[in-house]
Amino acid sequence: MSEPLAAGAVIGILGGGQLGRMLSVAAARLGYRCHIYDAAEHIPAGDVAHAVTRAAWDDAQALQEFADAVDLVSFEFENVPTQTIDLLSPHCPVLPGRNALAVAQDRLSEKTFLRDLGLPTAPFMPVDSLDSLEAAFDALGAPAILKTRRMGYDGKGQVRLESRADIAAAWAAMRGAPAILEGFVAFSQEISVIAARGLNGEVACYDPGENLHKSGILVETRVPARLGPSQRSDAVIMASRILNALDYVGVLGVEIFVSADGLVVNEIAPRVHNSGHWTQNGCAVDQFEQHIRAITGLPLGDGERHSDVVMENLIGDDLHRLPELLRAPNVAVHLYGKPEIRPGRKMGHVNRILPAR
Amino acid sequence: MSEPLAAGAVIGILGGGQLGRMLSVAAARLGYRCHIYDAAEHIPAGDVAHAVTRAAWDDAQALQEFADAVDLVSFEFENVPTQTIDLLSPHCPVLPGRNALAVAQDRLSEKTFLRDLGLPTAPFMPVDSLDSLEAAFDALGAPAILKTRRMGYDGKGQVRLESRADIAAAWAAMRGAPAILEGFVAFSQEISVIAARGLNGEVACYDPGENLHKSGILVETRVPARLGPSQRSDAVIMASRILNALDYVGVLGVEIFVSADGLVVNEIAPRVHNSGHWTQNGCAVDQFEQHIRAITGLPLGDGERHSDVVMENLIGDDLHRLPELLRAPNVAVHLYGKPEIRPGRKMGHVNRILPAR
């Protein structure tokens, strides 16, 4: 067992959105400094970071200098090109590793990985042509959801098919991108498990949260989820198996459907996750600090919850409710410092703190 | 009633120690950015700030540029020279104002202010010579404490006198600095009230915490303090009167002795206060965010506590207990990113979270 990363060390974070921002704050709380790398014009994490590099994901020179300036690299979103990781890896450790990223950023490899692990998933078939979509639809039945294999998030890149008549338009919407057709899962709830695995293989999970989506975007997570004890432990065991199979280091989010036939894994995110934001006000160690602890070799928090929480995302115009939310008792406000309100844009979130049941 | 400071605005903070660091994080959570100004070589707040200026407190050019770069200035320590405030004030608002700073940074004006307000204090007399110390000691009796009027903190600049024989050495220890002799208060506990007042005059207080000092340095604050309901409300009323009398805007810490004769105000700090760090894990709105809310014109949090907390400072070698503290359940760790452990130096703190009683 090696020593934890030394105090004062610099952690590089690929991606400077709200997740990078909250990772940077958590790292500082543990005595580390964060250097953010992002190609975007506005980098919210830059307001609370030690250093910022604004450069393209394929800028070998900038990546080399970034790698030389940091002791360790992690990332806040799963669409970091694996080529970026390949440019960084010779110069400094990257955690979680390339493998987890590669599995998670392609829906086909993700679903295949989960199925091979023996975990229940929605039925799925790869689609790379109109013909293969027709065949897949006939095999899986209606309703079904066609999704791009890559770069989809918050409901983007998805089309629902109710009948054969939808096939042509759905395929056209993919614009030729490789896709996957997923069969329908009749679920009563969607939950997520925020799980962490340390450098030494120790695993810790937070209690599952129950998610509410609108238009494909997460709007609310409640903890605890309405689950029986065996469902709760099954969900945590599923997350642990995924972590171990990937030899994962860091925090991972697992979205799970609760159906009449049992738990079905929907997707995994190899990073801190929106549905884990409640931990900021429900636990002594939140998911952001948990991720930093995992990748630096510090002991993991045990995931214990001191309060129940309802996390609500502030999306687009929701931000106009801020005056009322700032006045509400036991509500913790977390804004992301984004300069401009846009429809569907995550501007912040609030955690309503309730006594633990 | 004017509008709150706009999202994205820049708040200047004079002082970049751990308090400035935690203020910067809280400001970011509300969508603001912080620009830190400090003369020190290492600036812990710089790890989580939008910008940093390292310059002397009397550098008119640097202060002018700083004022031009920010929308509002506040401070994290009460020993900011009033001349610095005078250089900034023509260019941008400074909150809390010069008056609170001037009162609090001189023990004689502080005690005089409190007495004039009708609040109980220890008996005191100004001392500016050996003769005046002898006269003061004869008037106040033993034991008594001789303190420099300015720049004292964490027990520095203080000498205890048990008898007339101690007078000469005590005066010599002042090195000619103007001083104040304070009579002894036989107290059973020291508590503090962290109180806030907004731009519109609204006041909110957290529940008093009970403090434990060693060698003049705060080592622990427990919330709630062991107080009866009338003591608790008296303490909060005292803090409110101080805020209103100073026409104060921001968070203020009030240290109070609990004696057989009632509550006695010890001192006030015109800033966020070490004994308020428990709020980070006990309240939805912590003292740092409360200060930012107050100075920017946002509504104050109500000070409600969702959990009881024992806050423990990590001083000097205490940092070596970190591996054990990181493993302890329901313990939140907050480190300050200081590069070097020194005896008496505050390196961080932990909040032990307990169910609210």
Side-chain angles (χ1 to χ4, degrees):
Chain A
M1 185 56 204
S2 57
E3 286 291 300
L5 192 65
V10 179
I11 299 171
I13 305 280
L14 301 172
Q18 62 266 23
L19 301 181
R21 181 174 164 105
M22 294 184 277
L23 283 169
S24 184
V25 167
R29 222 157 49 214
L30 294 172
Y32 299 116
R33 296 175 289 163
C34 279
H35 186 148
I36 307 292
Y37 189 107
D38 201 328
E41 192 183 346
H42 179 72
I43 301 177
D47 296 348
V48 286
H50 162 65
V52 177
T53 297
R54 181 180 292 104
W57 296 113
D58 59 357
D59 184 334
Q61 172 74 21
L63 286 167
Q64 161 94 57
E65 284 167 19
F66 174 68
D68 290 344
V70 305
D71 297 289
L72 174 64
V73 167
S74 191
F75 44 85
E76 59 130 39
F77 74 122
E78 65 270 39
N79 292 322
V80 176
T82 45
Q83 297 89 320
T84 302
I85 306 297
D86 294 337
L87 286 165
L88 291 168
S89 297
H91 308 290
C92 70
V94 179
L95 291 170
R98 185 190 198 284
N99 181 40
L101 196 65
V103 165
Q105 66 187 203
D106 179 340
R107 289 184 199 277
L108 182 61
S109 53
E110 180 187 21
K111 281 276 196 302
T112 306
F113 161 77
L114 293 168
R115 187 182 58 191
D116 292 351
L117 204 55
L119 298 177
T121 66
F124 63 93
M125 293 181 74
V127 168
D128 51 17
S129 66
L130 187 57
D131 285 352
S132 62
L133 176 55
E134 286 176 343
F137 185 80
D138 290 342
L140 299 180
I145 302 170
L146 185 65
K147 302 178 177 179
T148 53
R149 281 173 54 177
R150 293 181 169 272
M151 300 299 283
Y153 64 95
D154 285 354
K156 290 171 188 163
Q158 304 196 5
V159 183
R160 188 178 163 110
L161 290 85
E162 299 288 349
S163 75
R164 279 203 124 245
D166 297 332
I167 289 178
W171 176 243
M174 296 294 109
R175 300 179 180 200
I180 176 174
L181 188 72
E182 296 183 8
F184 184 70
V185 176
F187 61 90
S188 56
Q189 296 151 261
E190 194 212 276
I191 60 169
S192 46
V193 178
I194 307 299
R197 187 167 176 274
L199 276 169
N200 63 354
E202 74 171 316
V203 166
C205 296
Y206 296 100
D207 226 4
E210 184 168 336
N211 301 328
L212 180 68
H213 288 85
K214 274 186 199 161
S215 313
I217 303 180
L218 181 71
V219 294
E220 184 186 288
T221 300
R222 290 180 171 259
V223 178
R226 293 165 300 164
L227 293 175
S230 67
Q231 286 175 312
R232 183 170 281 117
S233 63
D234 283 354
V236 165
I237 289 166
M238 281 179 168
S240 303
R241 287 186 57 199
I242 292 167
L243 288 171
N244 288 327
L246 291 171
D247 195 18
Y248 195 87
V249 176
V251 162
L252 174 118
V254 185
E255 292 186 10
I256 298 173
F257 295 134
V258 182
S259 81
D261 299 328
L263 303 183
V264 175
V265 181
N266 179 30
E267 61 179 47
I268 60 177
R271 53 168 171 82
V272 289
H273 194 258
N274 194 166
S275 67
H277 292 358
W278 67 270
T279 57
Q280 294 177 306
N281 297 95
C283 303
V285 177
D286 69 23
Q287 67 164 346
F288 304 100
E289 181 174 331
Q290 188 80 315
H291 183 73
I292 301 294
R293 286 180 179 221
I295 64 175
T296 58
L298 290 174
L300 299 183
D302 62 6
E304 197 181 338
R305 190 177 79 251
H306 60 71
S307 299
D308 290 352
V309 179
V310 180
M311 188 286 302
E312 188 190 352
N313 273 335
L314 302 178
I315 299 166
D317 284 340
D318 287 346
L319 203 62
H320 295 137
R321 290 169 44 218
L322 195 58
E324 160 216 335
L325 292 165
L326 287 167
R327 283 190 176 83
N330 277 319
V331 168
V333 172
H334 301 263
L335 302 184
Y336 305 153
K338 296 183 183 175
E340 195 190 334
I341 294 178
R342 285 189 217 143
R345 189 179 217 188
K346 291 176 180 171
M347 305 301 295
H349 66 275
V350 296
N351 285 327
R352 281 179 208 273
I353 305 167
L354 310 165
R357 277 179 285 177
Chain B
M1 186 57 205
S2 57
E3 284 292 299
L5 190 66
V10 179
I11 300 171
I13 306 280
L14 302 171
Q18 63 265 23
L19 302 180
R21 180 172 164 107
M22 293 184 279
L23 283 168
S24 183
V25 167
R29 222 157 48 216
L30 294 172
Y32 300 116
R33 296 174 290 165
C34 280
H35 186 148
I36 307 293
Y37 189 107
D38 201 327
E41 192 184 345
H42 180 71
I43 300 177
D47 296 347
V48 286
H50 163 65
V52 177
T53 296
R54 181 179 291 104
W57 296 113
D58 60 357
D59 184 334
Q61 172 73 21
L63 286 167
Q64 162 93 57
E65 284 167 19
F66 174 68
D68 290 345
V70 304
D71 297 289
L72 173 65
V73 168
S74 191
F75 45 85
E76 59 130 38
F77 74 121
E78 65 269 41
N79 292 321
V80 176
T82 46
Q83 296 90 319
T84 301
I85 306 298
D86 295 338
L87 286 165
L88 291 168
S89 297
H91 309 288
C92 70
V94 180
L95 291 171
R98 186 190 199 282
N99 181 38
L101 196 65
V103 165
Q105 66 187 203
D106 178 339
R107 289 184 198 279
L108 182 61
S109 54
E110 181 187 22
K111 281 278 197 300
T112 305
F113 161 77
L114 293 168
R115 185 181 60 191
D116 292 351
L117 203 55
L119 297 177
T121 67
F124 63 93
M125 292 182 74
V127 168
D128 51 18
S129 65
L130 187 58
D131 285 353
S132 63
L133 176 55
E134 285 176 343
F137 185 80
D138 290 342
L140 300 179
I145 301 170
L146 185 64
K147 301 178 177 178
T148 53
R149 280 172 57 177
R150 291 179 171 273
M151 299 299 282
Y153 65 95
D154 285 354
K156 289 170 191 165
Q158 303 196 5
V159 183
R160 188 177 164 110
L161 291 85
E162 298 289 348
S163 74
R164 280 203 124 246
D166 296 332
I167 289 178
W171 176 243
M174 296 295 109
R175 297 177 182 202
I180 176 174
L181 189 71
E182 295 182 11
F184 184 71
V185 176
F187 60 92
S188 57
Q189 294 151 263
E190 193 212 277
I191 62 169
S192 46
V193 178
I194 307 299
R197 187 167 176 274
L199 276 168
N200 64 353
E202 76 172 313
V203 167
C205 296
Y206 296 100
D207 226 5
E210 184 169 337
N211 300 328
L212 180 68
H213 287 85
K214 273 186 199 162
S215 314
I217 305 180
L218 181 70
V219 294
E220 184 186 287
T221 301
R222 289 179 173 262
V223 179
R226 293 164 301 165
L227 294 173
S230 67
Q231 287 175 312
R232 183 170 280 116
S233 63
D234 284 354
V236 165
I237 289 167
M238 280 179 170
S240 303
R241 289 186 56 199
I242 293 167
L243 288 171
N244 288 327
L246 291 171
D247 194 20
Y248 194 88
V249 177
V251 162
L252 174 118
V254 185
E255 292 185 9
I256 297 173
F257 295 134
V258 181
S259 80
D261 300 329
L263 302 183
V264 175
V265 181
N266 180 30
E267 61 180 47
I268 61 177
R271 53 169 170 80
V272 289
H273 194 258
N274 194 166
S275 66
H277 291 359
W278 68 269
T279 57
Q280 294 176 306
N281 297 96
C283 304
V285 177
D286 70 21
Q287 66 163 347
F288 304 100
E289 181 173 333
Q290 188 79 314
H291 183 74
I292 300 296
R293 286 180 177 221
I295 63 174
T296 58
L298 291 174
L300 299 183
D302 62 6
E304 197 181 337
R305 191 177 78 251
H306 60 70
S307 299
D308 290 352
V309 179
V310 179
M311 187 287 301
E312 188 190 352
N313 273 334
L314 302 179
I315 299 166
D317 284 339
D318 287 346
L319 203 61
H320 295 136
R321 290 169 44 216
L322 193 58
E324 160 216 335
L325 291 165
L326 287 167
R327 283 190 175 85
N330 276 319
V331 167
V333 172
H334 301 263
L335 302 184
Y336 305 152
K338 297 184 183 175
E340 196 189 335
I341 294 178
R342 286 188 216 143
R345 189 178 217 189
K346 292 176 180 170
M347 305 301 297
H349 66 275
V350 295
N351 285 328
R352 281 178 208 274
I353 305 167
L354 310 165
R357 277 179 286 179

